[in-house]
Amino acid sequence: MRVGLLTGGGDVPGLNAVIRAVVKRGEGEHGHSIVGFRHGWRGLADGDVMPLTRSHIRNVLPTGGTLLGTARYHPHSDDGGLDAVRATLEEERIEALICIGGDGTLHAASKVAESGVKIVAVPKTIDNDVWGTDRSIGFDTAVSIATEAVDRIHTTAESHNRVMIVEVMGRHAGWIAATAGIAGGAELVLAPEEPFDIDRVVRFLQHRHRAHASFSIIVVAEGAVPMEGSSMTYETRLGPFGEIVAGAISERLGAEIAARTGFDTRVTILGHVQRGGTPTPADRILGSRMGVAAIDAVSAGESGVMTALRGDDVVLVPLSEIAGKVKQVPAEMLEVARALA
């Protein structure tokens, strides 16, 4: 078979592990030819192709990003996009397609699958918000980076008696904020799942600083918002592609806390640092397992499915079950973060 492969949406550490696994397993075990499409769905629509052989994947396992490149483009949202995708697949004689991506890429995959293209998807996103899988590729590395940042900020916060706000990614779900906040010992975690009351935040900080500490660390997800009816008004700021403007909520939160408490308050925005660098062993292993599972699924004739981690097992779930859904942080985990304040 000739099998197409693309990485869409934002880059994450561990993507090259998936590509490597697909090529090695596809060539070595199944005898397939693997064809890569550069820059995600855009490359597929434009016919921007490259062969993928063992020589192309040598030494890529510890490398972050994606050797195929990526882009935020969804063919079903573009006039003629789906027709262009089908034309490229026919011209390149692609019999099945493996798509590695987050919610946007996977939604596009489901739409392309509905048009008759054989597709197997692989979930990746540092936000860990893909429905149907316990973990997505890239999440473990992002949490490790965010936790290290919180660890480092502890020393300067305590030295200067400051309130330090650390903003992490997470538009619709606060997985990075909750896990890095717990692991790093933050005093407060603010996540999209639970809008915050600025008055309660201020009271907590004032009590803590009077009672037993002169510094505090707050981890806030970029998608966090104040509670409706509270004394802080805020409208989420979006960029030209619908993305949340980095630093908007943390800068506003820092200004509110400083004005209401008089505490020296500083903001650190991790932004794309969370996406970069060497993938952790956990992301290399998960990417490798999902890559093997994806090419095995293609070889078995599966279509319209996504590889998913369920407990210790990598399984296949229908794309139709995950479309339009967001996996949010359970209330129990947010309660743990509060209990350890």
Side-chain angles (χ1 to χ4, degrees), residues 13 110 126 237:
S110 68
I126 66 170
R237 291 171 56 193

Side-chain angles (χ1 to χ4, degrees), residues 235-253:
E235 184 174 342
T236 302
R237 291 171 56 193
L238 301 179
F241 301 104
E243 77 282 9
I244 290 180
V245 174
I249 184 60
S250 57
E251 294 286 359
R252 175 63 186 281
L253 183 64

Side-chain angles (χ1 to χ4, degrees), residues 121-142:
V122 177
K124 66 85 206 167
T125 169
I126 66 170
D127 290 346
N128 200 40
D129 60 356
V130 173
W131 183 270
T133 182
D134 292 349
R135 193 180 312 130
S136 296
I137 297 160
F139 173 63
D140 187 78
T141 303

Side-chain angles (χ1 to χ4, degrees), residues 32-55:
H32 300 322
S33 297
I34 312 300
V35 177
F37 293 97
R38 296 183 180 92
H39 311 302
W41 289 110
R42 170 61 73 183
L44 180 52
D46 293 344
D48 190 353
V49 303
M50 64 176 287
L52 285 174
T53 65
R54 283 178 173 264
S55 63

Side-chain angles (χ1 to χ4, degrees), residues 151-170:
D151 287 345
R152 291 178 178 275
I153 281 171
H154 260 103
T155 55
T156 188
E158 189 168 7
S159 296
H160 291 275
N161 299 333
R162 286 173 175 158
V163 174
M164 302 291 282
I165 299 172
V166 181
E167 181 181 299
V168 298
M169 287 185 174

